[in-house]
Structure formats: C-alpha cells, structure tokens
Amino acid sequence: MAERNPGTKLELGWISKVYVNRPEVVRHAEQIKKWRTVKGNWQAAWLLKAVTCIDLTTLSGDDTPSSIHRLCFKAKHPIREDLLKALDMHDKGITVGAVCVYPARVTDAVNALKAAGCNIPVASVAAGFPSGQTPLEIKLAEIKLAVQYGAKEIDIVISRTLVLTGQWEGSDFIKTSTGKEVENATFPVGVVMMRAIKEFYWQTGYKVGFKPAGGIRTAKEAITWLMLVKEELGVEWLAPELFRLGASSLLEDIERQIFRHVTGSYPLQHDLAMA
C-alpha cells in the first residue's frame, strides 16, 4: 500500500467551504460515458492494467474453503497463459490487486495463496459490513481477528451516522460504497470523491487511495474508471497502491474481451476458467 495517512487536524473551515455543483458534476459524468473507447492493443493494455487493480471479491453467505481456493487460483492466473503469451505479457507477473473476503474466510485465502506461491494481499471487510451499525467494541474485535488471520488490508465500514452528523473519519483509501447498496459506484460520485482526494493531497501532501465498488461488471466500465482516475488524479494513481476496482464478476468480461482481441472471436462457455 501507499504511505499511511497519519491524519491531520480537523479544519472545519476548510470543510465548510466545500461546494458541489451537482448539475456540473452530472454533466461531466454524462460526458465521461461518451468517451470514445480505446481499441486494439491500447484496449488490451488498459484492460491488463485494470486486472492489476481488481480486488477480486466474494462476499457470499455460502463461501467455502474450496470456493475460496478457486478464487485465489484465479487471482494468481487472471488471464489465460496463452492469451498473455500472444500479447507478450506472460512474464510480467500479472495478478489481481488483492483477494477480498469475509473475516471468517481470511485464513482460507491466506493458505490458498501461500500454497500457490504468490504474495497477493488478502483484504477483508470488517467493522460491521455492510451496514456499519455495530458497536465499536465489536468492530475493533472483528478487525483485530481479521488481521490475526492474515489480512493485510481491511475494508472498514465507517459509521455513517458520525459522518452525517459532521464527525468526520480519516482513511488511507476511500470507497464509493459497500457494493451491497441499491446504487453503488457511479461516475458523479467518483468525480466528487476524487476531487476531495486531490484537495486533501494539496493540503497535506498525503495521497489517499480510491476504490469504486459495486455494479462494475464490464471491461468498458473498467477502462472508463481508469481514464477518469488518470484525468482527475494523474498517472500516479493508476497503481494498485492507490486505486482498486471492487468487483466479483468484472474479471470474467475483461478476459472475454482479451480473448476476442487475440483470437478474433468471443470465447465459448468452456474456453475460460471460472473463478
């Protein structure tokens, strides 16, 4: 991860001056959707970059050690080896950015990745996911357990009650949503959050990461998010240390698009391994 955010003195004067021009943000978001999609080798390059920033996620009630093992295998081998060879990228060590699971499944993920001989970090949702409506003592205990089990990153669900009442919390990364809401990652929200990150960087010199999560399912959407990050925050943020895509099914479409780029046709159902 990037250098830890040590926090800063709360300046309510700074925060009170924040103004969001909602119509302009929405207009800008609509323009983003119309951006011309890159093609050919450029598209493949953007998609491989997206792969390295994915938090490959499973947050299902029926997760088991075997399903976590399959997920971790896919995390280490996100794109078929022959496809990477065709792109001359087979020796670049391309993996996803992290594997994200519930605290109870962290040990399974850590063991599976260790057995696979890779150092992909395990992230875990904690602190009362997804509502955050859990007593502080239980949140802290859940975080401590996830870390003891081997999690290197924690997606903490903040108390939105505190935020809505002006009691702000700090972070090393900020995330659009839990992915469990009716509406999750949207471009207008992303623009506002990224400009807040940029303002914080100007004020303090510390870089805060950004993670859109929930509802990102297509390769085109992934590329648009990357382009938006590049435009708003710069190339420095286009790295897993500062940018993640929270997704469970996105990788499938990215691999489909790379397969089509290499072979000229879309894969049949049996052509690509399932996570």
Side-chain angles (χ1 to χ4, degrees), residues 199-269:
E199 177 72 14
F200 185 82
Y201 177 59
W202 287 343
Q203 293 279 349
T204 68
Y206 289 98
K207 298 173 183 176
V208 172
F210 174 65
K211 178 179 175 178
I216 305 173
R217 298 184 176 88
T218 69
K220 183 178 180 180
E221 289 173 309
I223 290 176
T224 302
W225 277 110
L226 263 69
M227 288 182 168
L228 181 57
V229 169
K230 181 176 179 291
E231 178 184 83
E232 293 290 339
L233 295 173
V235 176
E236 291 177 272
W237 261 263
L238 288 179
E241 292 78 19
L242 288 169
F243 176 65
R244 296 287 179 83
L245 290 160
S248 54
S249 58
L250 171 61
L251 182 56
E252 181 180 350
D253 190 55
I254 289 179
E255 193 173 19
R256 287 181 70 252
Q257 299 304 326
I258 290 177
F259 184 101
R260 181 177 182 274
H261 171 69
V262 170
T263 68
S265 61
Y266 282 110
L268 300 176
Q269 191 171 10

Side-chain angles (χ1 to χ4, degrees), residues 33-181:
K33 294 177 184 178
K34 297 175 183 178
W35 282 352
R36 189 170 182 176
T37 303
V38 290
K39 300 292 185 180
N41 290 335
W42 290 106
Q43 181 188 49
W46 277 97
L47 291 178
L48 291 178
K49 168 58 74 173
V51 168
T52 67
C53 295
I54 289 177
D55 275 358
L56 191 59
T57 304
T58 180
L59 298 171
S60 300
D62 58 355
D63 287 336
T64 63
S66 60
S67 66
I68 298 299
H69 186 274
R70 289 196 302 273
L71 187 80
C72 290
F73 180 86
K74 190 63 177 175
K76 184 182 180 183
H77 306 282
I79 305 297
R80 247 176 47 178
E81 185 74 7
D82 60 320
L83 300 178
L84 291 176
K85 285 183 177 179
L87 297 170
D88 196 26
M89 295 293 290
H90 59 287
D91 57 351
K92 300 299 186 291
I94 292 176
T95 69
V96 301
V99 169
C100 185
V101 296
Y102 277 118
R105 300 268 71 89
V106 168
T107 301
D108 296 329
V110 169
N111 290 340
L113 291 169
K114 183 178 180 180
C118 63
N119 58 358
I120 299 171
V122 174
S124 183
V125 293
F129 180 87
S131 69
Q133 297 288 1
T134 303
L136 178 61
E137 295 81 3
I138 296 177
K139 289 183 178 182
L140 293 174
E142 189 175 32
I143 292 168
K144 288 178 181 177
L145 282 173
V147 172
Q148 288 175 14
Y149 295 156
K152 299 299 183 183
E153 303 170 8
I154 301 292
D155 271 22
I156 296 175
V157 183
I158 64 171
S159 172
R160 280 164 279 187
T161 300
L162 293 178
V163 173
L164 294 172
T165 55
Q167 302 176 67
W168 298 93
E169 303 179 14
S171 179
D172 297 309
F173 246 81
I174 56 174
K175 181 177 176 180
T176 57
S177 57
T178 63
K180 297 289 186 180
E181 309 295 333

Side-chain angles (χ1 to χ4, degrees), residues 16-28:
S16 65
K17 294 177 182 177
V18 172
Y19 171 74
V20 177
N21 185 336
R22 187 183 180 91
E24 180 62 22
V25 169
V26 172
R27 184 190 67 80
H28 182 47

